[in-house]
Amino acid sequence: MAIRSHLIPFVLVLVSMLTMPKGEREPPTEQRLHLFLLQRNSYNKLVMPEGYTINGTADSKLTVKLGMRLSQLLDVSEKNQILTTNLWLRHEWVDIRLRWDPQLFGGIVSTFIPSSELWRPDITLYNNADGDFVVTLLTKAKVFYTGLIVWEPPAIYKTYCPINVEYFPFDQQECFMKFSSWTFDGHQIDLQHVQAEKGVWVGDQLVIRNGVDLCDYYQNVEWDIINVTARRKEKFYPCCPEPYPDITFNITIRRRTLFYTINLIMPCVAISCMTVLVFYLPSDSGEKITLSISILLALTVFFLLLSDINPPTSIVIPLIGKYLMFTMIVVTLSIFLTVYTLSVHFRSPATHRMSPWVKWMFIDTIPKIIFMKRPPQQTMNRRCIRTEHGTEIRETPTGTPPLRERHDTMDSNKTQPNYENLRRRAGESSVGIYPPELRESLKAVNYIADHLHDQDVEISEERDWNYVAMVLDRIFLIFFTTASFLGTTSIFLLPPTLYDSAVALTKDNVNCSR
């Protein structure tokens, strides 16, 4: 009874198939085509097809055509030196086992077959840096009645790209993607570019200009594509005597500099200009050293920021790194010179004596060369005035008539003595003829006159030291301004990209293959 219960569903299905109309039992035409190609012809996807061209001409090796359609530049990692791209890799080859007569299959000239059921060339990315070396998404392949197979799967590749940061951020990079068969040599597979007929032989290489299709390319916010070239060559490896053909897609990219100009270069130039202002700041302000050290700390912060952007290489120094190093040297030198000028500014006769050559060079000669004019010094005459409290010595500018006091004063037109006259008369007179009280007064007046004279000499020399420090500041200001301008100009005019008039390639200015 159990056996009969299991046979009942099978019998019902068989009766329904026998009673079905004849038109409904026939499979669709494309299904019959797939059945004819993959089963009745004993198709084996593990066996490589014979070398036949589209026209049926026999060839000793199978021709596989390779093309690339670039969709996006996802990332360019300067630190890891990896280029991440999103692209479609186009494969074309002929398999004579997949030919049919369109008249026998309802006029079908092409069909789609899962690529997992077909033989596929093992095209591998040789300079892969991370991830899979081959295509992982096995999309369907388009098969034509002539046996031509077109398979164009999408893929995301991470390739090694040597980054040259010598002219960063005005740099231009040369990246490449090398594809070849890993198993089959050049005697078995003839790897060609899909546009090989447009190529030009340069030595032993076939060069195809615009060898990468950019019809579906989306612009990158940081990089512009300047050139795309495909090269086909054959290489001999130490393991094998046979040649291995490969196709290398070269992608030349140029960095967009707007972001780095605003956020990196302009602050550095501003800091460099602030270095010059250190020598314009008066020494009496007490902020010259503070400003110099603040600039040095700001440059240190920029150095730390730059180390996170640039790859850790010891081969070359980036352009912006050279400029920061130049600015740091200038700032460090300005700190030393500022300390020296402050030391000159605060010198006094008690610690230093000004040499005659210093006075001749920095007071009489150099100021005329750098167009500095010292304001005239207003000398003060000290006059003796008798008041109700006694005799006082007061300062009056030269050329100013003496002020009339309420008390009796000495007439300026008469013999009005100053402290020099008092000291001279006190020395010429015979002190012994005066009473003791008057002799003590004369000695006190002589001492005061000598002290005031020495004080005037010290003040005059201190002013000379201050003026020498001001002249040094002006010299350093001119020197550092010239050095900063020439250094900034010479460093930022070095990049070759500034003189490159190549226009960025987009899908609007290239000839699409569609």
Side-chain angles (χ1 to χ4, degrees):
M1 295 295 293
I3 297 176
R4 291 180 181 179
S5 61
H6 285 85
L7 290 176
I8 291 175
F10 176 74
V11 173
L12 293 176
V13 172
L14 182 61
V15 171
S16 61
M17 291 179 63
L18 293 175
T19 57
M20 186 179 299
K22 183 177 181 180
E24 297 180 5
R25 291 198 302 265
E26 293 182 358
T29 305
E30 192 165 3
Q31 182 178 349
R32 291 191 297 109
L33 176 59
H34 286 199
L35 184 64
F36 169 77
L37 295 176
L38 301 179
Q39 295 184 10
R40 292 183 181 178
N41 284 347
S42 301
Y43 182 83
N44 189 354
K45 66 179 181 180
L46 302 179
V47 179
M48 176 181 172
E50 298 179 4
Y52 275 78
T53 61
I54 299 178
N55 297 325
T57 305
D59 197 353
S60 60
K61 49 189 175 182
L62 178 65
T63 300
V64 177
K65 294 184 178 182
L66 188 67
M68 189 173 75
R69 186 187 296 265
L70 185 61
S71 179
Q72 278 181 299
L73 290 178
L74 297 179
D75 182 46
V76 179
S77 176
E78 292 91 349
K79 180 173 294 186
N80 300 320
Q81 303 192 58
I82 294 178
L83 172 67
T84 306
T85 54
N86 182 11
L87 52 88
W88 302 348
L89 201 60
R90 184 181 181 91
H91 305 71
E92 293 183 8
W93 71 94
V94 176
D95 194 338
I96 61 173
R97 298 173 296 177
L98 298 178
R99 291 180 175 177
W100 72 90
D101 187 359
Q103 297 180 358
L104 300 178
F105 295 95
I108 298 178
V109 296
S110 64
T111 184
F112 291 94
I113 299 178
S115 58
S116 58
E117 299 181 6
L118 303 176
W119 177 90
R120 304 182 307 274
D122 56 342
I123 303 299
T124 305
L125 178 64
Y126 273 45
N127 62 324
N128 183 44
D130 186 17
D132 297 312
F133 286 79
V134 296
V135 176
T136 56
L137 182 59
L138 301 180
T139 59
K140 291 185 177 182
K142 189 174 184 179
V143 182
F144 294 86
Y145 73 97
T146 56
L148 174 64
I149 301 176
V150 178
W151 182 43
E152 194 170 8
I156 295 178
Y157 283 120
K158 293 184 178 181
T159 56
Y160 167 74
C161 177
I163 302 296
N164 184 10
V165 295
E166 182 177 2
Y167 299 110
F168 174 83
F170 303 96
D171 54 336
Q172 181 172 299
Q173 307 299 334
E174 299 281 346
C175 299
F176 68 96
M177 303 177 70
K178 179 180 177 181
F179 292 93
S180 180
S181 175
W182 188 264
T183 305
F184 304 101
D185 55 53
H187 296 161
Q188 297 172 305
I189 286 184
D190 181 20
L191 188 62
Q192 296 287 343
H193 193 271
V194 292
Q195 297 179 352
E197 65 278 359
K198 298 181 180 179
V200 178
W201 284 98
V202 179
D204 59 345
Q205 299 183 6
L206 180 64
V207 180
I208 300 98
R209 291 180 54 85
N210 297 329
V212 178
D213 194 347
L214 299 177
C215 290
D216 295 306
Y217 175 70
Y218 296 95
Q219 289 290 325
N220 188 274
V221 296
E222 186 178 358
W223 296 91
D224 285 330
I225 294 181
I226 304 302
N227 186 25
V228 284
T229 306
R231 298 176 181 269
R232 193 266 184 191
K233 63 180 183 298
E234 293 184 355
K235 184 176 181 180
F236 291 87
Y237 294 93
C239 66
C240 313
E242 299 85 3
Y244 280 81
D246 63 75
I247 295 180
T248 302
F249 297 96
N250 297 94
I251 303 176
T252 304
I253 55 178
R254 184 175 60 195
R255 191 189 303 269
R256 296 183 176 182
T257 59
L258 180 61
F259 172 81
Y260 296 96
T261 301
I262 296 176
N263 296 279
L264 200 60
I265 295 177
M266 292 183 63
C268 291
V269 175
I271 291 174
S272 179
C273 295
M274 291 175 62
T275 306
V276 176
L277 296 179
V278 172
F279 299 103
Y280 196 76
L281 192 66
S283 299
D284 292 328
S285 64
E287 299 294 334
K288 294 171 72 73
I289 299 296
T290 304
L291 179 59
S292 300
I293 294 177
S294 301
I295 295 173
L296 190 62
L297 292 176
L299 286 175
T300 305
V301 172
F302 273 97
F303 258 122
L304 296 176
L305 176 64
L306 190 64
S307 62
D308 294 335
I309 299 176
N310 288 337
T313 176
S314 299
I315 301 176
V316 294
I317 301 177
L319 186 70
I320 188 66
K322 294 178 182 178
Y323 183 70
L324 286 177
M325 187 175 298
F326 165 75
T327 308
M328 182 166 290
I329 293 174
V330 170
V331 172
T332 306
L333 185 60
S334 69
I335 293 176
F336 286 103
L337 295 179
T338 301
V339 172
Y340 178 73
T341 55
L342 289 177
S343 174
V344 173
H345 178 80
F346 290 103
R347 286 182 180 181
S348 63
T351 58
H352 297 82
R353 288 293 179 183
M354 183 176 293
S355 302
W357 70 270
V358 174
K359 183 175 295 186
W360 172 81
M361 180 175 292
F362 293 99
I363 295 180
D364 300 333
T365 306
I366 294 182
K368 297 178 182 178
I369 299 175
I370 59 178
F371 303 102
M372 285 186 66
K373 186 176 181 181
R374 188 175 185 179
Q377 298 295 322
Q378 190 176 29
T379 59
M380 305 296 292
N381 288 334
R382 292 180 171 85
R383 304 179 184 275
C384 293
I385 301 175
R386 288 183 305 194
T387 63
E388 59 183 3
H389 301 289
T391 302
E392 295 182 359
I393 298 177
R394 297 183 179 179
E395 294 182 348
T396 59
T398 301
T400 303
L403 297 176
R404 292 286 181 178
E405 301 288 337
R406 288 182 307 166
H407 308 283
D408 295 331
T409 61
M410 300 178 64
D411 192 354
S412 59
N413 297 324
K414 299 179 181 180
T415 57
Q416 180 179 0
N418 53 21
Y419 67 89
E420 292 290 344
N421 297 330
L422 288 176
R423 184 176 61 180
R424 186 175 65 254
R425 291 183 180 183
E428 294 175 354
S429 301
S430 177
V431 181
I433 64 176
Y434 296 104
E437 294 82 1
L438 187 57
R439 289 200 299 267
E440 293 296 330
S441 299
L442 290 175
K443 290 181 180 179
V445 170
N446 193 17
Y447 173 78
I448 293 173
D450 290 339
H451 178 72
L452 291 176
H453 179 267
D454 294 340
Q455 186 178 2
D456 284 345
V457 172
E458 291 181 359
I459 292 175
S460 176
E461 193 163 348
E462 286 180 0
R463 290 175 179 175
D464 289 341
W465 282 119
N466 294 341
Y467 188 68
V468 170
M470 186 182 300
V471 172
L472 289 175
D473 274 336
R474 183 63 58 87
I475 294 173
F476 296 148
L477 176 65
I478 297 174
F479 173 76
F480 276 84
T481 302
T482 306
S484 299
F485 176 76
L486 294 179
T488 304
T489 306
S490 59
I491 289 176
F492 286 115
L493 291 181
L494 285 177
T497 54
L498 296 178
Y499 314 100
D500 188 6
S501 59
V503 181
L505 298 179
T506 61
K507 60 183 179 181
D508 299 326
N509 56 10
V510 296
N511 294 324
C512 294
S513 60
R514 294 195 251 261

